[in-house]
Amino acid sequence: MSALSTTPTDPAVLRRAFGCFPSGVTALCALDSGRPVGMAASTFTPVSLRPPLVSVCVQDTSATWPKLRKQSRLGLSVLAEEQDPVCRSLAGKGGDRFADVDWEASAGGGVYIHGAGLWLDCSVYAEFPGGDHTIVLLEIHGLRADPDREPLVFHGSRFRRLAV
């Protein structure tokens, strides 16, 4: 490996560098006026056991986050390995993001993606500025986990699967 370069200012260089770290892919969704609204987020991190908290980072330019943040409950689904089409749909900029997505809503309004390995029933706990993103802490109120489902992994700007 060569010496470190100076502080990178080119977003493409940073995006490529950040792509060296594999991450899981989540869907953050809720009902808004009875209709599902959601987004994909690959910046998901478990944070705390007491209280139970996770975090996601949301671009400040997101048109979806303002709709989600006002909901009392959010559904966070950790997508499984075959769900890259779901991620692409939820990351889309136009059209009905849920047209080909199998989902269900809880009584509290959280929306969950069928086939995901983990469902978390969450509410916004806190938000912090983070450059061109907002760091969102979510408090967990309930969960359903299927640890045998292989996760969808995003690495090097591509979806990957874990090798056995």
Side-chain angles (χ1 to χ4, degrees):
M1 185 178 275
S2 62
L4 296 175
S5 64
T6 59
T7 303
T9 56
D10 181 352
V13 171
L14 277 171
R15 186 172 282 117
R16 189 171 60 247
F18 292 164
C20 291
F21 182 74
S23 63
V25 182
T26 64
L28 188 59
C29 310
L31 291 178
D32 182 28
S33 300
R35 298 181 52 104
V37 61
M39 60 193 295
S42 62
T43 53
F44 166 79
T45 304
V47 174
S48 170
L49 298 176
R50 290 196 180 110
L53 301 173
V54 296
S55 71
V56 294
C57 295
V58 180
Q59 273 187 323
D60 290 339
T61 58
S62 171
T64 305
W65 178 241
K67 296 174 186 174
L68 289 172
R69 74 189 309 207
K70 67 181 181 179
Q71 306 306 320
S72 61
R73 283 292 206 265
L74 302 172
L76 190 141
S77 302
V78 175
L79 299 181
E81 68 178 351
E82 72 282 352
Q83 293 185 304
D84 43 305
V86 171
C87 179
R88 284 188 186 92
S89 182
L90 292 175
K93 298 292 182 196
D96 181 359
R97 291 181 178 181
F98 287 86
D100 296 318
V101 175
D102 192 14
W103 60 275
E104 70 180 76
S106 69
V111 170
Y112 304 93
I113 307 302
H114 285 187
L118 175 63
W119 287 359
L120 298 176
D121 174 35
C122 302
S123 63
V124 175
Y125 184 82
E127 295 182 58
F128 305 95
D132 59 1
H133 280 64
T134 297
I135 302 162
V136 181
L137 290 180
L138 300 169
E139 184 171 9
I140 302 167
H141 302 284
L143 64 83
R144 187 184 89 184
D146 184 356
D148 293 329
R149 300 221 24 109
E150 296 295 331
L152 181 61
V153 177
F154 193 69
H155 176 257
S157 297
R158 294 186 354 211
F159 294 109
R160 313 272 183 152
R161 280 143 178 78
L162 297 177
V164 181

